[in-house]
Amino acid sequence: MLYNTFIPAENGNTETIVLLHGFGGNSRIWKYQIPLLSKYFNVLTVDLPSHNEGNLQLSQIDVTLDAISREILAVCDMHNVRNAVFMGVSLGTVFVKYIEAFYPEYVKFGILVGAVATVNALLNGCAKLFSKIGDKLPFSAVYHVFSWIIMPGKRNQESRSIFRKCAIALNKKEFKLYMHIFNQAFRFSKMFEKEYHPENTYISGMLDSCFLRRTVLEAQRSCGRMIKMVSCGHVCNIVHKNRFNKIMLELLDQNQAIAAE
């Protein structure tokens, strides 16, 4: 079972929001959102395989998007969460989309933060390279380079810092296996953008050099809503947390997901 935390809503609401972090992180990535969300929602955080100490390792299951998604849904089943709002950041958005595509009964709607769609040649090449030799390179150097590619510049310093602290729970073997997951994610995104998913809202920073252009295309082609945050990079919920939280609550309120206090 994946490491998870369930926080009951303070207002007694029965609605649940499931939070999925990105690669190299863990549920700490939501530290600016959980206190706010738990006022209105049951909050279920799920740590992806190999993330957080003592968690299920990716090497212990099939290295596929489906295997990881089924582990996430096993956590949902354990907490009797059958139809919820799913919010993911970065790689976590891939699993939101995958569950929507293949297990749609679980997802009320998705909020996709810094979504991973099809990607530029640099990141695609890095994922392919690290999937072959990622366990033969100095690990700290590899994830420092990876974090700079995804979150470059001074504006993303806090995001990179959190990523690097959390990534310590990974090791060379698990990192290399996750590069295979990224390669699958990029292929899956080509399929997903051809589907109809108007229930999704994408929130991306306008300075997200890796993913923004393709994410905009995916939102357009799948009929999702696109929100761009100015002066913000990949991890919007950290870089501009107050502005992000306002957008988040407005979205939830528009979908009538917050019960009256």
Side-chain angles (χ1 to χ4, degrees):
M1 182 68 66
L2 294 174
Y3 187 85
N4 63 89
T5 303
F6 184 86
I7 306 170
E10 293 177 16
N11 67 348
N13 188 12
T14 59
E15 297 275 357
T16 300
I17 182 164
V18 180
L19 302 179
L20 301 177
H21 64 82
F23 175 68
N26 58 40
S27 293
R28 286 182 57 205
I29 202 79
W30 302 110
K31 66 179 181 177
Y32 297 124
Q33 285 74 52
I34 290 173
L36 182 59
L37 287 171
S38 61
K39 292 181 179 180
Y40 311 106
F41 280 93
N42 298 326
V43 177
L44 176 58
T45 65
V46 184
D47 284 358
L48 299 178
S50 310
H51 295 73
N52 222 331
E53 293 183 10
N55 200 14
L56 177 73
Q57 299 291 290
L58 182 55
S59 56
Q60 294 175 308
I61 61 175
D62 291 338
V63 184
T64 64
L65 295 177
D66 191 68
I68 296 175
S69 297
R70 284 188 280 108
E71 292 292 337
I72 293 168
L73 295 180
V75 173
C76 291
D77 289 343
M78 183 182 72
H79 291 287
N80 295 313
V81 175
R82 296 289 187 268
N83 186 244
V85 179
F86 276 68
M87 183 161 68
V89 63
S90 194
L91 183 61
T93 66
V94 173
F95 297 107
V96 176
K97 293 188 293 182
Y98 191 94
I99 293 168
E100 282 181 327
F102 295 102
Y103 306 93
E105 66 275 13
Y106 281 89
V107 185
K108 185 167 293 183
F109 60 90
I111 300 175
L112 309 175
V113 185
V116 172
T118 54
V119 293
N120 59 31
L122 175 61
L123 188 56
N124 195 31
C126 283
K128 288 181 178 179
L129 176 65
F130 292 153
S131 69
K132 295 178 180 178
I133 64 171
D135 58 344
K136 297 178 175 62
L137 301 172
F139 182 53
S140 60
V142 168
Y143 71 70
H144 271 66
V145 169
F146 201 82
S147 66
W148 263 103
I149 292 172
I150 296 175
M151 299 170 283
K154 291 183 178 180
R155 294 181 188 273
N156 291 305
Q157 185 172 348
E158 184 179 5
S159 301
R160 285 197 306 274
S161 177
I162 291 175
F163 171 86
R164 290 168 180 174
K165 288 177 182 177
C166 294
I168 294 172
L170 290 169
N171 58 42
K172 289 183 178 182
K173 180 180 179 181
E174 302 302 312
F175 184 96
K176 180 180 177 181
L177 292 177
Y178 262 101
M179 294 302 103
H180 291 286
I181 294 296
F182 268 101
N183 289 328
Q184 292 174 40
F186 302 152
R187 292 194 298 271
F188 166 70
S189 292
K190 292 181 180 179
M191 180 205 80
F192 186 85
E193 70 178 19
K194 298 176 183 178
E195 297 186 353
Y196 181 65
H197 287 282
E199 71 275 17
N200 285 339
T201 298
Y202 295 76
I203 306 175
S204 292
M206 293 185 70
L207 301 179
D208 187 344
S209 56
C210 278
F211 300 110
L212 180 62
R213 187 173 70 86
R214 305 293 177 87
T215 296
V216 170
L217 286 176
E218 180 176 291
Q220 291 174 342
R221 291 171 179 172
S222 64
C223 297
R225 179 181 179 185
M226 184 78 224
I227 297 174
K228 301 176 189 176
M229 293 181 62
V230 298
S231 303
C232 188
H234 183 54
V235 188
C236 309
N237 63 305
I238 287 180
V239 177
H240 285 298
K241 52 186 178 292
N242 293 330
R243 185 150 43 103
F244 174 86
N245 286 350
K246 184 175 183 292
I247 293 170
M248 176 186 71
L249 289 183
E250 287 175 353
L251 286 173
L252 295 172
D253 190 44
Q254 288 167 11
N255 285 277
Q256 298 181 337
I258 295 180
E261 292 187 71

